[in-house]
Amino acid sequence: MNELRHVARWGDPADAVTLSPGVRDLLGSALGVRGPRPAAETADLHPSSLPPAALADLVTACPRVHTDDAARLAHAAGKSTEDLLRLRAGQVHDAPDAVARPGSHDEVAALLAACARQHVAVVPFGGGTSVVGGLAARRDGFAGLLALDLAGLDRLIRVDPVSRTATAQAGLRAPRAERLLNAQGYTLGHFPQSFEYASLGGFAATRSSGQASAGYGRFDRMVVGLKAATPVGTVDLGRAPESAAGPDLRQLLLGSEGVFGVITELTMRVRPTPAERHYTGWVFPDFATGGDAVRSLAQDGPLPTVLRLSDEAETAINAATGSGPGGDGGCLAVVGVEGTKAEVAARSEALHARLTALGGTPLGETAGEQWRAGRYRAPYLRDALLDAGALAETLETATFWDRLPQTYAAVREALVATLADAGTPPLVLCHISHVYDTGASLYFTVVAAQADDPVAQWRAAKTAAGEAIAASGATITHHHGVGRDHRPWYGREIGPVGAAALRGVKEALDPYGILNPGILLP
Ligand SMILES: Cc1cc2nc3c(=O)[nH]c(=O)nc-3n(C[C@H](O)[C@H](O)[C@H](O)COP(=O)(O)OP(=O)(O)OC[C@H]3O[C@@H](n4cnc5c(N)ncnc54)[C@H](O)[C@@H]3O)c2cc1C
């Protein structure tokens, strides 16, 4: 089944990555990868179980409701490695019974009202790039499960050049949003690795963070206003950039992962499109020295637009596989500056002096540009690794600077120990991916040989890593969100009183409990 092959991968097949014979040999000799596993030809898609009366009610709310296999399959999962492994095995238990494609806020609201009447569970679907099971809502106890695909809400509504804000519909995908804004001289500056497919509403619903977060900030900090449809009515928030009028209700919707309402419109701060970009590579003798340098920039400046630091293992593997510069040891930092010509010149010069004083050695622009050119390549590489019989997945966390070394060591040890116990000594790579004056995010990549049950293998490793993160005092997620996979740890982070407060909000906004059951809420 072609659709199955397509949904079980990332992106356009024309951009697929092929592993070189050298890398294949290395996977076999260093990691014990045993070669490709058979992929299923067909999916175990259950027949749509929506009662005819419920379907008719949904169609009255929005005529574009589809129950064909192709539409349901395309909305059956997100893009975590577990999702891709299950899809490759033909397992699509989480597939919705129907897919609705509303074209307006009012249609979204009407669909939610119909779902409430018919007791149909709803999964808001943006770009479908969740890596935490955020699209795997529970269906038990409901008359059916509806994927509410927001791709039809794809308009840039207005740009306000005086306030420097842009208002857009939430289903707008990131590349198109950037193109439309660029045409008017602006950028959002939000470039996560999932940029090619993710939507603005998805960014808001998961508190996403992009690769240029040092300069442009996290997505939730860009949002100044939002509109959401809930089963009990509409909320329209953000009449001023900041306000002292009580708790900021925008924050309740940001990161709410579709459990409180469906975000249909966002007003975001935008910046002028940078006239100039200057990306350079730097090498530090080790992760500790590089980490101190990165912290120094985050706390005392000058702060670049992009700032990331790979550990020794990530630097070495990227150099060996041609994905990055280096090769003589040490740790690679990528330092990118964007802005006007004068700003970029001044900041680059100041950064050069500061990074040199902090122990860095410049590798020049080619190294920085090499990273920029390949920055959306990792998910294509993951497909090639899965094809070859390797397990490849990432996870992330954030903590305060004083605890960062402990978290780094604890997560690495947990991953290595769990996967080696299963007979597959893994590669564990890490980089500092987002920085703040008080702390940073660590992003881990794991590559190992696939065991007979790779889903169970990764779950065990991920559980061990989650426990190590919790024990070291870090958060279970800095930017991927909670979804289904991080719920137990999220519950522990916010405690019983926090969980009760969220349940109270849920009761007020979604008393029927139809929005994303089983997601986020502990
Ligand atoms: C290869 C890869 C790389 C990634 N890199 C990054 C990265 O660099 N930074 C980062 O932050 N994340 C990253 N992610 C995670 C993911 O892309 C983000 O979480 C993104 O914000 C999800 O957007 P989406 O539109 O695809 O949302 P979806 O996956 O469609 O949905 C995510 C969750 O939000 C809910 N939701 C979606 N839209 C709405 C809406 N309009 N209203 C209410 N709820 C909604 C969904 O029900 C779901 O629970 C990556 C994922 C992949 C696969």
Side-chain angles (χ1 to χ4, degrees), residues 401-430:
W401 285 113
D402 70 329
R403 298 184 201 151
L404 200 83
Q406 290 96 295
T407 301
Y408 170 71
V411 176
R412 265 189 63 82
E413 274 162 30
L415 288 168
V416 170
T418 322
L419 288 163
D421 268 0
T424 56
L427 269 179
V428 179
L429 321 175
C430 181

Side-chain angles (χ1 to χ4, degrees), residues 69-377:
D69 287 1
R72 293 173 58 219
L73 204 52
H75 296 80
K79 294 292 180 194
S80 68
T81 293
E82 178 172 334
D83 291 328
L84 301 188
L85 288 168
R86 285 190 188 285
L87 288 166
R88 283 159 185 246
Q91 297 167 6
V92 290
H93 312 150
D94 294 325
D97 294 294
V99 178
R101 294 196 164 93
S104 66
H105 173 90
D106 289 348
E107 277 189 348
V108 173
L111 278 166
L112 293 185
C115 287
R117 277 194 298 275
Q118 302 297 335
H119 203 52
V120 170
V122 182
V123 188
F125 193 99
T129 67
S130 171
V131 282
V132 291
L135 300 162
R138 257 188 24 234
R139 64 169 60 245
D140 46 298
F142 292 93
L145 181 65
L146 178 76
L148 209 159
D149 188 329
L150 294 152
L153 275 74
D154 65 347
R155 281 189 310 119
L156 175 62
I157 297 167
R158 66 182 162 273
V159 173
D160 172 352
V162 178
S163 312
R164 285 211 179 145
T165 62
T167 301
Q169 289 183 308
L172 186 58
R173 300 279 175 100
R176 183 145 178 270
E178 247 336 92
R179 272 198 306 279
L180 293 171
L181 286 171
N182 288 172
Q184 301 199 43
Y186 295 98
T187 180
L188 264 178
H190 189 65
F191 305 105
Q193 201 179 62
S194 52
F195 176 80
E196 293 167 290
Y197 295 94
S199 68
L200 300 181
F203 292 150
T206 61
R207 288 181 180 276
S208 168
S209 199
Q211 293 166 342
S213 65
Y216 294 103
R218 299 165 58 87
F219 192 82
D220 47 2
R221 305 277 156 79
M222 299 176 189
V223 176
V224 293
L226 59 82
K227 186 169 168 182
T230 79
V232 294
T234 290
V235 277
D236 201 345
L237 302 162
R239 57 171 54 220
E242 299 293 345
S243 165
D248 188 347
L249 289 182
R250 291 173 296 195
Q251 296 300 328
L252 265 186
L253 270 299
L254 294 170
S256 65
E257 301 187 20
V259 303
F260 295 154
V262 180
I263 300 166
T264 56
E265 204 174 291
L266 287 158
T267 299
M268 299 146 293
R269 169 258 282 159
V270 289
R271 298 254 169 87
T273 315
E276 195 92 349
R277 293 192 171 88
H278 186 240
Y279 281 57
T280 50
W282 287 77
V283 71
F284 287 88
D286 51 56
F287 200 45
T289 310
D292 285 346
V294 162
R295 174 170 58 83
S296 169
L297 297 188
Q299 291 177 331
D300 302 321
L303 192 60
T305 314
V306 171
L307 181 58
R308 44 198 285 132
L309 174 77
S310 294
D311 70 357
E312 289 87 348
E314 188 169 282
T315 305
I317 289 294
N318 284 346
T321 56
S323 308
D328 300 324
C331 291
L332 176 75
V334 173
V335 179
V337 181
E338 301 187 358
T340 64
K341 207 169 171 190
E343 273 165 11
V344 170
R347 221 150 18 118
S348 297
E349 198 182 316
L351 277 161
H352 196 283
R354 190 80 194 112
L355 286 165
T356 308
L358 291 165
T361 306
L363 295 177
E365 255 183 274
T366 315
E369 280 306 318
Q370 188 179 356
W371 174 81
R372 213 171 84 79
R375 64 182 170 159
Y376 301 132
R377 188 170 168 264

